[in-house]
């Protein structure tokens, strides 16, 4: 039995049936087909998940309650979403825009860490600097930034979350993010995933106080916030 | 929402999506209680932003995006409530029987068969982004391109995340490679 025949046989296996005969012999010797087989098992397991139907009573109640919610004004500059082309385009713009922010700096630490710093506000505009330290280069690090409701990225009106991939240099990788702060501000959350591990750092940004956590003293231009994470 | 929304108009537009929203929310949360919380919050946001989706021919993708954001918010709140330290999270390779499901209440677990509980417990070990990917791509059949648009994440990132997530689920569900020996 070759791999093509093996996969056809796997596709035809009834749920819960163990491979036998020539298929069993092929699987015993072929890692790729074993991987295909376990993928199929996983799909079968997941497809058996039963999903309850909502009661009409709940839906009626939830819809009526929602219609009593207070109105929220949208920002004048907020453009209306168009599915899917506009969303796809905005993802691309976001990814390109943020990748271009990388500024490799000649810093190096033994373990990868993530650092953020928020500068003094000027008319509610904060410059948040995110530094991701890595002890080696990574081609495809996953990065995401999430903002609380009172925060938004300048130029990305109405968007509280962005995710993108970017190469990491060995040492420090700097990302400067202009954040617009409304009211009491809120939390900026940055998550990176590289080298098989995830790192998360949070910083509170507001008009009165920028940043929480360990802070470096003596910088008159900004409140530096540094959070070391396990490498 | 600059102008007052007619409640009947809102209900008429939302109805065709309502059940699907509930089912997707359940796949994301694995709990009836959390599902109802997510759906309620979702409906409120859809009402407040009615002018942004009301004239769309098919608003499914837009609504799924809002649903995902609501789910992530709830996940974060729950993580804080449970005191989870997520500063550095590594993939948990532990066996399922050593894990305690954080997503299903005892009532929910009792409602489900052992198999259902087993799957929900495994899904409960995924983070919000992984869970969303599994829900959209593996459970609801969205292509990776469609999921990438909804999750606003590059397809390449989703591919690597999918690879990791599947490997994690196989371990949690103890789906061992076949051996005839």
């Amino acid at each position: 039995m070759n791999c093509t025949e093996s996969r056809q046989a796997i596709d035809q296996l009834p749920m819960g049936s163990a491979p036998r005969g020539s298929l069993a012999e092929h699987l015993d010797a072929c890692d790729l087909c074993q991987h295909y087989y376990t993928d199929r098992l996983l799909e079968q397991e997941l497809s058996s998940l039963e999903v309850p139907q909502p009661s009409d009573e709940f839906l009626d109640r939830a819809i009526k309650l929602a219609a009593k919610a207070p109105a929220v004004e949208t920002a004048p500059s907020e453009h209306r979403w168009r599915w899917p082309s506009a969303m796809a385009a905005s993802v691309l713009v976001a990814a390109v825009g943020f990748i271009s922010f990388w500024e490799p700096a000649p810093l190096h630490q033994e373990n990868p860490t993530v650092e953020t710093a928020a500068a003094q506000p000027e008319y509610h505009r904060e410059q948040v600097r995110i530094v991701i330290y890595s002890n080696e280069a990574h081609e495809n690090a996953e990065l995401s930034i999430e903002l609380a409701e009172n925060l938004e990225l300048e130029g990305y009106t109405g968007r509280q979350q962005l995710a993108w991939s970017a190469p990491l240099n060995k040492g420090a990788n700097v990302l400067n993010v202009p954040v617009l702060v409304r009211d009491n501000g809120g939390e900026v959350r940055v998550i990176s995933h590289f080298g098989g591990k995830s790192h998360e750092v949070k910083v509170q940004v507001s008009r009165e106080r920028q940043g929480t956590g360990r802070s470096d003293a003596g910088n008159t231009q900004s409140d530096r916030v540094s959070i070391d994470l396990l490498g | 929402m600059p102008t007052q929304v007619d409640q009947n108009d809102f209900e008429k537009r939302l109805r065709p999506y309502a059940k699907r929203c509930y089912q997707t929310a359940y796949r994301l949360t694995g709990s009836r209680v959390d599902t109802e919380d997510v759906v309620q919050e979702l409906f409120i946001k859809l009402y407040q932003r009615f002018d942004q989706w009301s004239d769309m021919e098919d608003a499914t993708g837009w609504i799924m995006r809002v649903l995902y954001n609501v789910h992530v918010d709830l996940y974060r709140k729950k993580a804080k409530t449970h005191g989870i330290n997520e500063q550095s999270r590594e993939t948990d390779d532990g066996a399922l029987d050593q894990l305690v499901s954080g997503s299903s209440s005892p009532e929910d677990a009792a409602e489900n068969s052992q198999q259902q509980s087993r799957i929900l417990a495994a899904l409960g070990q995924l983070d919000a982004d992984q869970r969303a990917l599994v829900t959209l791509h593996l459970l609801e059949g969205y292509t990776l391109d469609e999921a990438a648009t909804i999750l606003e994440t590059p397809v390449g990132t989703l591919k690597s995340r999918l690879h990791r997530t599947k490997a994690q689920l196989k371990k949690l569900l103890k789906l061992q490679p076949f051996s005839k020996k």
Side-chain angles (χ1 to χ4, degrees):
Chain A
M1 179 176 275
N2 61 32
C3 290
T4 302
E5 293 168 336
S6 162
R7 291 178 190 202
Q8 287 171 348
I10 290 169
D11 288 341
Q12 291 167 3
L13 265 183
M15 191 170 177
S17 298
R20 294 180 181 176
S22 56
L23 175 59
E25 287 176 9
H26 180 85
L27 286 177
D28 224 20
C30 179
D31 289 342
L32 288 176
C33 285
Q34 280 200 13
H35 187 76
Y36 184 82
Y37 172 67
T38 53
D39 268 2
R40 294 289 299 163
L41 285 182
L42 177 61
E43 288 168 13
Q44 287 177 352
E45 289 259 4
L46 293 177
S47 66
S48 70
L49 179 65
E50 293 171 3
V51 178
Q53 291 284 331
S55 67
D56 289 338
E57 183 189 1
F58 166 73
L59 291 180
D60 288 343
R61 190 174 67 244
I63 291 172
K64 284 182 171 53
L65 196 60
K68 293 177 182 174
V72 174
E73 290 288 340
T74 51
S77 61
E78 185 172 30
H79 56 78
R80 293 163 70 144
W81 293 35
R82 285 290 179 271
W83 170 265
S85 57
M87 287 175 68
S90 65
V91 169
L92 182 62
V93 169
V96 171
F98 274 91
I99 289 170
S100 68
F101 276 128
W102 284 121
E103 302 169 7
L107 298 174
H108 174 66
Q109 289 192 355
E110 188 62 29
N111 295 318
T113 60
V114 177
E115 175 189 318
T116 68
Q120 288 288 348
E122 184 180 354
Y123 303 110
H124 299 210
R125 184 181 185 275
E126 307 287 344
Q127 191 74 12
V128 176
R129 191 166 72 99
I130 301 163
V131 185
I132 298 181
Y133 294 100
S134 175
N135 59 359
E136 59 184 79
H138 294 278
E139 287 187 358
N140 197 27
E142 296 174 22
L143 307 163
S144 67
I145 181 167
E146 296 174 12
L147 305 173
E149 281 193 5
N150 287 331
L151 305 176
E152 63 182 47
L153 296 173
E154 191 175 56
Y156 298 90
T157 305
R159 297 182 53 167
Q160 258 70 46
Q161 185 178 30
L162 285 175
W164 70 102
S165 295
L168 280 185
N169 292 325
K170 181 178 180 179
N173 299 265
V174 182
L175 176 63
N176 289 308
V177 182
V179 175
L180 300 178
V181 183
R182 292 192 302 269
D183 300 329
N184 296 323
E187 188 176 83
V188 174
R189 180 172 176 244
V190 178
I191 302 171
S192 65
H193 185 93
F194 55 92
K197 294 178 181 178
S198 293
H199 307 277
E200 177 182 318
V201 64
K202 299 173 184 174
V203 61
Q204 196 72 21
V205 179
S206 67
R207 294 185 63 186
E208 292 77 23
R209 181 183 177 192
Q210 299 79 50
T212 58
R214 288 186 292 150
S215 180
D216 294 338
N219 189 327
T220 57
Q221 296 301 313
S222 65
D223 289 329
R224 285 176 60 83
V225 178
S226 174
I227 301 174
D228 293 329
L229 304 173
L230 297 177
Chain B
M1 191 179 65
T3 57
Q4 186 65 35
V5 174
D6 180 81
Q7 187 173 331
N8 290 333
D9 195 19
F10 170 67
E11 182 170 350
K12 185 181 171 187
R13 289 289 292 131
L14 180 57
R15 278 286 176 192
Y17 303 105
K19 282 190 177 178
R20 181 168 186 175
C21 290
Y22 183 95
Q23 292 179 315
T24 302
Y26 184 83
R27 291 187 176 107
L28 287 169
T29 66
S31 150
R32 282 179 183 270
V33 173
D34 288 345
T35 296
E36 294 192 356
D37 286 347
V38 165
V39 169
Q40 183 65 77
E41 184 64 23
L42 170 67
F43 286 0
I44 289 172
K45 289 189 182 303
L46 293 180
Y47 178 75
Q48 292 175 328
R49 301 176 191 175
F50 187 59
D51 62 326
Q52 297 179 43
W53 63 276
S54 59
D55 60 352
M56 290 182 187
E57 191 174 332
D58 181 0
T60 305
W62 194 92
I63 291 174
M64 287 298 123
R65 172 67 188 158
V66 179
L67 174 58
Y68 165 68
N69 283 331
V70 172
H71 159 63
V72 169
D73 286 345
L74 179 74
Y75 176 86
R76 230 183 288 159
K77 284 176 188 170
K78 286 189 70 173
K80 284 181 181 174
T81 303
H82 295 166
I84 296 171
N85 181 356
E86 292 189 298
Q87 278 205 346
S88 185
R89 182 179 55 237
E90 296 181 36
T91 301
D92 188 346
D93 291 334
L96 180 66
D97 51 9
Q98 294 175 330
L99 302 175
V100 177
S101 170
S103 64
S104 297
S105 69
E107 286 180 357
D108 290 319
E111 286 177 12
N112 288 292
S113 66
Q114 190 176 356
Q115 171 73 355
Q116 296 291 298
S117 297
R118 183 168 163 266
I119 296 171
L120 288 174
L123 292 173
Q125 295 306 310
L126 304 179
D127 65 29
D129 290 333
Q130 290 176 309
R131 184 84 179 245
L133 179 58
V134 168
T135 295
L136 293 174
H137 182 58
L138 296 181
L139 296 176
E140 301 202 341
Y142 285 89
T143 66
L144 280 179
D145 284 340
E146 290 167 337
T149 307
I150 292 171
L151 303 176
E152 292 191 313
T153 305
V155 173
T157 304
L158 290 189
K159 283 181 181 173
S160 59
R161 184 178 299 161
L162 181 64
H163 182 76
R164 280 201 319 275
T165 303
K166 282 167 116 179
Q168 190 176 343
L169 283 174
K170 285 177 186 177
K171 284 186 180 178
L172 290 166
L173 293 167
K174 296 181 178 175
L175 302 179
Q176 301 297 333
F178 174 78
S179 173
K180 68 185 179 74
K181 292 171 186 174

